[in-house]
């Protein structure tokens, strides 16, 4: 049996999603837009501001909003994870995935080992010799 989501759970998910998006190289505009859509999908009022290494968020109604600042270490752009996180954000923003389920999926994305998948490795292995022959 799962426990009901609280605003605090939803806010925590928003901040962790934001941090993950910054870490994989999302642009400030992309990050702020995605988080605004997710907050709306979760039924939260929120305002976001980001720089390449910082996410600032104010979550809740103006008279009782909680503000947070998350400092993020710069990393290389990871397009694979960025696509996964964008997909997750879109599904949560549309109300298709509750925050508790999304939180678990977010952890899977964050904790997945770096590097490509086996199909990617096989594709590169097969294409590389052909490219070498083609380009001489």
């Amino acid at each position: 049996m799962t426990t009901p989501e609280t605003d605090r759970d939803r806010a925590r998910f928003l901040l962790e999603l934001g941090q993950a998006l910054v870490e994989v190289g999302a642009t400030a505009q992309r990050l702020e837009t995605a988080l605004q859509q997710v907050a709306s999908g979760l039924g939260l009022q929120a305002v976001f501001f980001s720089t390449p290494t910082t996410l600032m968020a104010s979550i809740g109604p103006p008279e009782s909003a909680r503000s947070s600042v998350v400092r993020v270490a710069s990393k290389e752009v990871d397009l694979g994870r960025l696509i996964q996180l964008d997909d997750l954000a879109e599904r949560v923003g549309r109300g298709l995935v509750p925050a508790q389920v999304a939180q678990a999926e977010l952890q899977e994305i964050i904790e997945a080992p770096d590097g490509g998948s086996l199909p990617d490795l096989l594709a590169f292995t097969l294409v590389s010799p052909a490219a070498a022959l083609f380009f001489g």
Side-chain angles (χ1 to χ4, degrees), residues 1-64:
M1 182 171 153
T2 60
T3 58
E5 295 174 353
T6 65
D7 284 349
R8 182 168 277 205
D9 293 334
R10 291 188 285 268
R12 187 180 77 238
F13 170 73
L14 265 175
L15 292 173
E16 289 180 12
L17 175 63
Q19 180 174 353
L21 283 165
V22 171
E23 287 177 351
V24 299
T27 63
Q29 180 180 1
R30 184 180 203 164
L31 171 70
E32 292 170 16
T33 300
L35 291 178
Q36 197 63 55
Q37 290 172 345
V38 170
S40 180
L42 293 173
L44 295 173
Q45 287 183 305
V47 177
F48 301 96
F49 178 78
S50 66
T51 69
T53 59
T54 306
L55 170 64
M56 291 172 261
S58 181
I59 302 171
E63 63 277 359
S64 62

Side-chain angles (χ1 to χ4, degrees), residues 23-132:
E23 287 177 351
V24 299
T27 63
Q29 180 180 1
R30 184 180 203 164
L31 171 70
E32 292 170 16
T33 300
L35 291 178
Q36 197 63 55
Q37 290 172 345
V38 170
S40 180
L42 293 173
L44 295 173
Q45 287 183 305
V47 177
F48 301 96
F49 178 78
S50 66
T51 69
T53 59
T54 306
L55 170 64
M56 291 172 261
S58 181
I59 302 171
E63 63 277 359
S64 62
R66 294 183 60 137
S67 296
S68 298
V69 177
V70 179
R71 179 91 165 121
V72 183
S74 296
K75 294 185 179 179
E76 292 183 21
V77 175
D78 185 338
L79 292 178
R81 282 197 174 113
L82 182 56
I83 291 168
Q84 291 177 310
L85 292 170
D86 276 345
D87 177 61
L88 177 61
E90 183 176 332
R91 288 184 287 124
V92 174
R94 289 176 157 189
L96 302 174
V97 179
Q100 287 178 328
V101 173
Q103 181 71 41
E105 189 173 335
L106 176 61
Q107 291 307 311
E108 287 177 18
I109 294 169
I110 291 170
E111 294 170 3
D114 290 337
S117 63
L118 183 58
D120 289 342
L121 179 61
L122 292 174
F124 287 127
T125 302
L126 295 173
V127 170
S128 296

